[in-house]
Amino acid sequence: SEMCIRDRAYSGSDLALIKLQVGVNVAEFPQLNSPAATPLQIISYGYPQDKSPGSLWASKCQAKPYLRAENGYGDVYRLNCSNSVGQSGAAILNSAHPQQIFGVLSARVRQGTDDYNVFAAFAPDLVKDVRGLVFGAKDESRYFERLQFNDRHWARNVH
């Protein structure tokens, strides 16, 4: 379903890490980065609900700061392109260097007659935390809670 924000009450916490039991071969591991320059030229890929089922679409546009983070996750950026239900959660890539991921396509904002999409950018501390978890340098995280999924059930804080 579509997530909609009203009155700027958005947390920006749209990130999950999933550990797979079987390794996946990738040509190049993506780089998580915090956006520095603005405006940003970004691209994202998704499967919009208003298009043919299973068809992958690209969105290229510009992003500008919208909401400063107070929770440590990262700032929220406003996009000048349209995205549809089904694209939420897409990686936001740097157009100039597509191996760099700046954040996650997060929500649609409606304020009066204004209607636009936003993405949650990765804060430097969050990027450092994710790298530590992914590459085995740490087991605990300030940003993530460990969950275990087994046969349609899940449990919290499983070590």
Side-chain angles (χ1 to χ4, degrees):
S1 68
E2 179 180 301
M3 180 179 170
C4 186
I5 305 170
R6 297 187 194 283
D7 302 323
R8 299 170 64 100
Y10 174 62
S11 70
S13 57
D14 288 335
L15 182 64
L17 293 177
I18 299 171
K19 184 176 181 179
L20 303 175
Q21 287 182 328
V22 178
V24 177
N25 291 328
V26 293
E28 185 176 346
F29 195 80
Q31 302 168 1
L32 302 184
N33 283 312
S34 298
T38 59
L40 304 170
Q41 300 300 319
I42 63 97
I43 188 168
S44 68
Y45 298 94
Y47 297 91
Q49 227 175 33
D50 63 343
K51 306 295 183 202
S52 300
S55 62
L56 181 64
W57 289 74
S59 295
K60 293 181 181 181
C61 60
Q62 193 176 72
K64 294 182 180 179
Y66 165 71
L67 186 63
R68 299 293 297 171
E70 295 179 10
N71 57 12
Y73 287 100
D75 295 339
V76 177
Y77 284 73
R78 178 179 174 155
L79 301 172
N80 73 349
C81 58
S82 179
N83 292 289
S84 301
V85 174
Q87 291 179 268
S88 297
I92 297 294
L93 310 172
N94 179 346
S95 286
H97 305 283
Q99 75 279 10
Q100 294 179 349
I101 302 173
F102 283 150
V104 177
L105 184 60
S106 303
R108 184 174 188 174
V109 176
R110 292 185 181 140
Q111 293 177 315
T113 59
D114 218 358
D115 187 359
Y116 51 90
N117 295 288
V118 296
F119 86 87
F122 299 143
D125 284 348
L126 179 64
V127 170
K128 184 177 177 183
D129 201 47
V130 168
R131 287 180 182 152
L133 291 168
V134 169
F135 295 111
K138 60 190 295 184
D139 291 325
E140 297 297 320
S141 168
R142 139 180 186 202
Y143 299 100
F144 297 95
E145 179 179 5
R146 186 183 299 261
L147 302 175
Q148 181 75 40
F149 293 88
N150 290 316
D151 299 326
R152 299 187 196 138
H153 297 84
W154 61 272
R156 281 190 138 86
N157 298 319
V158 175
H159 295 280

